[in-house]
């Protein structure tokens, strides 16, 4: 099947924020959960679009998030395992060149292709792990900021800094966080 990619020519521009919370379940009042577990986000979520019938294309982060960012099933976007790479553009491509595109993530499956040796050293690696293949997450973003999965504060700070200090509009902000997923680990700060 031949897939054709054509950026939008729509003259109306809107800022787009896409947040993926890895392993988030429906433990939110918006889905009928009894406890108020999202008080801090409520004022933002009340004006957001909520999709109540969402299903993942797969059960794990690498191809699942690639599907969200491309709109394609794994066999179409190509990022199906740690030896693969994106075969299609991401959503930001369709918005057109007038958009500033920034990606922020803290998951090893979404690691930057341009991770520095200094960053690797800081997180205890003397070289890039084989699992962190060059997937192509950076491609299609004007900025792609990656931090290690145990650093849950930095991605939120980076997104907040971008939103508070942005000088470029329109923008596409993609934020992926592992904070919910990693609660199963026995880290002191949890």
């Amino acid at each position: 099947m031949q897939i054709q990619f054509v950026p939008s020519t729509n003259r109306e521009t809107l800022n787009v924020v896409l947040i993926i919370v890895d392993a988030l379940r429906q433990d939110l009042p918006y889905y009928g959960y009894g406890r108020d577990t999202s008080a801090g986000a409520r004022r933002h979520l009340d004006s957001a679009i909520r999709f109540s019938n969402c299903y993942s294309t797969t059960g794990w982060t690498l191809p699942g998030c690639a599907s969200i960012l491309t709109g394609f099933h794994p066999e179409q976007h190509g990022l199906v395992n740690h030896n693969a790479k994106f075969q299609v553009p991401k959503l930001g491509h369709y918005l057109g060149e007038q958009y500033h595109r920034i990606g922020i993530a803290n998951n090893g499956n979404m690691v930057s292709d341009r991770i520095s040796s200094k960053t690797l050293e800081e997180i205890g690696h003397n070289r890039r792990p084989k699992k962190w293949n060059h997937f192509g997450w950076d491609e299609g973003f004007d900025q792609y900021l990656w931090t290690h999965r145990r650093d849950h504060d930095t991605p939120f700070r980076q997104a907040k800094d971008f939103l508070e200090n942005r000088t470029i509009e329109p923008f596409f902000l993609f934020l992926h966080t592992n904070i919910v997923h990693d609660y199963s680990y026995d880290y002191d700060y949890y």
Side-chain angles (χ1 to χ4, degrees):
M1 173 170 92
Q2 181 67 23
I3 301 171
Q4 186 176 17
F5 308 102
V6 180
S8 172
T9 56
N10 184 352
R11 299 247 185 257
E12 182 182 6
T13 57
L14 301 170
N15 293 326
V16 178
V17 177
L18 171 60
I19 301 171
I20 297 176
V21 182
D22 204 304
L24 180 66
R25 303 175 315 181
Q26 291 186 342
D27 295 355
L28 297 169
Y30 299 95
Y31 296 101
Y33 189 67
R35 285 185 19 215
D36 187 5
T37 56
S38 59
R42 188 180 321 113
R43 64 188 167 105
H44 301 290
L45 296 175
D46 285 342
S47 65
I49 298 171
R50 179 176 60 95
F51 297 93
S52 58
N53 294 309
C54 297
Y55 303 92
S56 180
T57 58
T58 184
W60 65 292
T61 301
L62 185 69
C65 287
S67 289
I68 292 170
L69 272 179
T70 63
F72 290 104
H73 288 281
E75 64 272 7
Q76 295 169 306
H77 62 62
L79 194 53
V80 295
N81 60 45
H82 287 111
N83 295 313
K85 185 177 171 106
F86 278 99
Q87 300 300 311
V88 299
K90 296 170 203 68
L91 294 176
H93 167 83
Y94 300 102
L95 296 172
E97 290 301 316
Q98 75 268 29
Y99 275 79
H100 178 77
R101 296 167 283 238
I102 179 170
I104 302 171
N106 75 327
N107 183 292
N109 288 308
M110 302 174 77
V111 67
S112 170
D113 288 350
R114 296 185 288 266
I115 188 170
S116 70
S117 55
K118 178 183 178 217
T119 299
L120 287 170
E121 220 172 86
E122 287 171 356
I123 58 177
H125 295 292
N126 56 5
R127 62 179 176 77
R128 186 182 184 97
K130 177 70 174 132
K131 179 183 174 184
W132 291 355
N133 205 341
H134 295 274
F135 302 124
W137 287 103
D138 301 77
E139 295 170 12
F141 287 102
D142 300 300
Q143 292 175 270
Y144 191 81
L145 309 173
W146 179 85
T147 56
H148 192 267
R149 72 178 299 151
R150 291 185 184 170
D151 183 350
H152 295 112
D153 293 333
T154 297
F156 289 105
R157 191 186 75 254
Q158 290 169 327
K160 182 180 183 220
D161 289 348
F162 172 78
L163 290 170
E164 289 178 349
N165 301 305
R166 70 186 183 277
T167 57
I168 304 169
E169 289 200 19
F171 64 84
F172 170 56
L173 167 62
F174 164 64
L175 171 64
H176 177 281
T177 178
N178 242 33
I179 195 166
V180 173
H181 180 280
D182 289 352
Y183 272 110
S184 61
Y185 292 101
D186 191 23
Y187 299 142
D188 291 340
Y189 57 85
Y190 284 139

